Amino acid sequence: MPTYLIVFIVAAFAWRLVTLAISTRHEKALKRDGATEFGAGNSLLLAGFHLLYYVCAVVEAATKAHEPNGLVSSAGIMIYIASALVLVSVIASLGGLWTIKIIISPQHRWVKSGLFTFVRHPNYFLNILPELVGLALALNAYWTLVIGIPLYLVPLVTRIRQEEAAMRETFAPDL
């Protein structure tokens, strides 16, 4: 495997660990202030799928007998970086409300700024799905892409439905 892909893999895992640390810090503060978590089981399942997708893509890339297509890898890395920038924007818009879980605080506010002006769930549609596509393309992990995305969509769609229900319960007049 080329060195640039090893660097990319390390950076991708490091990026996700940084975002997990941010999420954990926000979660603790929210719960300390009386927030309620929704869909905890599915959040755990979704996190597991996310990690499994990463591992499968890396294993698939590491076991290939031929060199990856550099053009596809470059496109994948660019998609991944774009998705990471979207996540930075989402975190900036949500501030301390952003977590990888569905956590609604009594002081929660309806966010309609940044990317939320244009897309209802930018974290899912402009960050997570492009991130996974970009990762698989960067590593030329086509089996992971073709099998992993449809499987990932099962807990992701469940997550969106759970989040919508929690938001309706909290923000019914605003929706």
Side-chain angles (χ1 to χ4, degrees):
M1 183 178 310
T3 305
Y4 75 92
L5 285 183
I6 294 169
V7 170
F8 170 73
I9 291 166
V10 170
F13 273 95
W15 169 243
R16 271 312 180 176
L17 288 175
V18 166
T19 61
L20 180 60
I22 293 167
S23 174
T24 301
R25 187 178 69 235
H26 291 173
E27 176 184 352
K28 286 178 183 176
L30 286 165
K31 286 186 174 178
R32 184 182 59 241
D33 294 339
T36 304
E37 182 175 351
F38 295 85
N42 190 64
S43 289
L44 187 59
L45 183 65
L46 196 56
F49 267 64
H50 208 88
L51 178 60
L52 182 62
Y53 188 95
Y54 267 61
V55 169
C56 287
V58 170
V59 168
E60 183 178 346
T63 57
K64 288 193 182 238
H66 56 81
E67 286 295 308
N69 180 315
L71 185 60
V72 173
S73 291
S74 296
I77 291 169
M78 296 308 293
I79 292 168
Y80 190 94
I81 290 169
S83 76
L85 292 173
V86 165
L87 182 53
V88 169
S89 173
V90 167
I91 293 170
S93 292
L94 292 176
L97 298 174
W98 181 83
T99 69
I100 62 170
K101 299 178 178 179
I102 303 170
I103 300 177
I104 307 291
S105 133
Q107 297 78 32
H108 217 97
R109 67 191 193 290
W110 181 251
V111 176
K112 297 179 184 178
S113 61
L115 293 172
F116 290 90
T117 305
F118 309 103
V119 179
R120 186 147 173 112
H121 296 283
N123 192 50
Y124 306 133
F125 298 119
L126 302 178
N127 166 244
I128 291 176
L129 290 174
E131 169 193 343
L132 297 177
V133 169
L135 180 78
L137 291 176
L139 301 179
N140 289 203
Y142 304 117
W143 286 110
T144 300
L145 179 65
V146 170
I147 295 169
I149 293 293
L151 291 175
Y152 193 93
L153 285 173
V154 174
L156 184 61
V157 168
T158 301
R159 166 59 160 275
I160 292 169
R161 288 180 178 156
Q162 289 171 335
E163 189 169 314
E164 285 291 322
M167 290 169 58
R168 253 191 317 279
E169 185 178 311
T170 305
F171 301 110
D174 295 332
L175 293 177

